[in-house]
Every structure is written in structure tokens, then in C-alpha cells.
Amino acid sequence: MNTLLGRRSRTLAATTATAALALVLAAGCTSSDSGSKTAAGGVELVKAGQLTTCTHLPYPPFQSEIDGKVQGFDVSLIDLVAKNLGVKQTILDTPFENFKTGAFLNADECDLAAAGMTITAERKKNVDFSDPYFDATQAVLVDRKSGITSLADVKTKGKKLGAQAQTTGEDYAKSKGFDPVSFESSDAVLNGLRTGQVQAVIIDYPVVQGWLKTKANADAFKVVDNLNTGEQYGFTVKKGNTKLLAAINKAIKDAKADGTYKKLYEKWIGPYDASATASPSAS
């Protein structure tokens, strides 16, 4: 999901930071602004009765709209946080570039951000990250007819490489001397590959896992490289929001301890891999 908010810090050139795409998609039931904004544990919320999560859609299997409802691995984990706080989670779809700056957190539009975000030192300057909850790698996905057998082969054969704008995947490609075609979302990246705009893409492996579950995709495309870039995903809060950060970390820890994390992983991502359960020490 790269310079990371981990694989995703995209520049939506035509979108301003103030245009929050005021499309609010409920991950659960929304609640009225009336009442106390203080939840369990003394956590202060931007809106009474709800935990407001900023994300950027779509980014399956972490968050995407399914049957009119935003669902996914990230959404399910933050639902656990909301439950512990005694509130419901709501989702606000926002431009990705704002995750890097923490703009919507600082403006009290959201309580936290969850978007398959890679933890990076640069991003830590603007936001506070939770403990890592997922170890992620980048995949090189190609058209089977392209004859490409590796990332290096893309350059050797003079093929076009695509990546999501301002993500760690795009950063990695540039660090290897590529000038990748930039797309604004993971769906756009994959569509670019499908339609022949590019012949190979660098994209988060969990996204590829889900995409290749469809037989038509698996028949036409394949992974030729898996790049272990040492990336870990984390959720973010406004700097200094220690109580909410503690609540998020507790929910992650408890989910790993009681088996909930494993169940959610298998539901949204695929066969459980213990190496994906990032440990706090790894960050």
C-alpha cells in the first residue's frame, strides 16, 4: 500500500488538500455529533460516538468498498479499537498525499489514518505511528506475454514499468534507475497493466495476492520478483495523541494474542504467514 505511508503516498495532482472528498463511507454505523467526545480510557475523539478513520480508496485487501460498505483488513483491525472505546468506526476517503503530512489529522477531520501505510522516518516527522501490524514486500507483476522474467529484465527489454504515485514501490523503482509511469491508486496500477499501458508494475504483494485469486488475472499475469524492502505498515494519529495510540497498540497486541489477527489475515489476505505479524521491536 512506499515513501511510505508505505506504499502509498500518492500525489493526486488535481486534488487539493482541502478537498476531503467529502464522501463518508461508514465502516459501521455512524453516530450523532451530540454527546461527549471522550471515549473509554479518556480518548478524545473528533466526533462524539465515533472513531473517524481517514483512508484512501480503494486499496484491497486493506480497505475497499464492497457491497456499499468499506471493508478490509485495516478496517477490521480498527473496528477492534472502536469496540474497545465503546464507539463505531466511520471511514473518510481522502487524498493520499495528506497521509504523509498528517493534514487531516491536524485539522481534526479524522482521529487516525489507516491505509496500508509504511512506517518511515520521514513520515514520523509529521505523525505518530502505532506499533507495526504487518510486514510487507513489493511484488513485480508482469504480463505473461511480455517475456519479462525479473525487474532487471524490464529495463533490459525496454518495457514500461508502472507504480503507484508517491509510494515506496515508486521510490524503489526510481532508486533502481527506472522512470516509472505513475498511477494514482492500486486499482489504476493494475488496470494500467491489464490495458497494456505498462508491461510490468511494482506493487504491494498483498494487493497482488488478492488480485491473482481471480483465474482470468492469474492466467494473464504473474509475479516474477518479490522485493523484500523491509517495509512495515502502521496506523497513524496526530502527534501527541498518546491515549489513542495506546488504544490502537493494545488492540493490535490483543488480536495477535487471542487469534483474532490470524482469522482476519486469513479472511482478507490469504494463508496465514507468521512472518507478517510484525513485532514492535522490528520498527
Side-chain angles (χ1 to χ4, degrees), residues 74-114:
D74 282 3
V75 178
S76 295
L77 286 178
I78 298 302
D79 274 342
L80 300 177
V81 180
K83 182 179 180 180
N84 290 344
L85 295 178
V87 298
K88 296 289 185 178
Q89 179 185 186
T90 61
I91 306 292
L92 180 64
D93 186 15
T94 60
F96 194 78
E97 68 267 21
N98 294 295
F99 293 105
K100 183 176 180 179
T101 63
F104 283 99
L105 295 173
N106 294 332
D108 290 332
E109 295 286 342
C110 303
D111 296 297
L112 71 141

Side-chain angles (χ1 to χ4, degrees), residues 1 59-62 186 190 203-212 233:
M1 72 199 224
Y59 189 59
F62 295 92
S186 59
L190 295 171
I203 193 168
D204 293 358
Y205 183 62
V207 175
V208 171
Q209 280 182 293
W211 201 62
L212 292 181
Y233 289 172

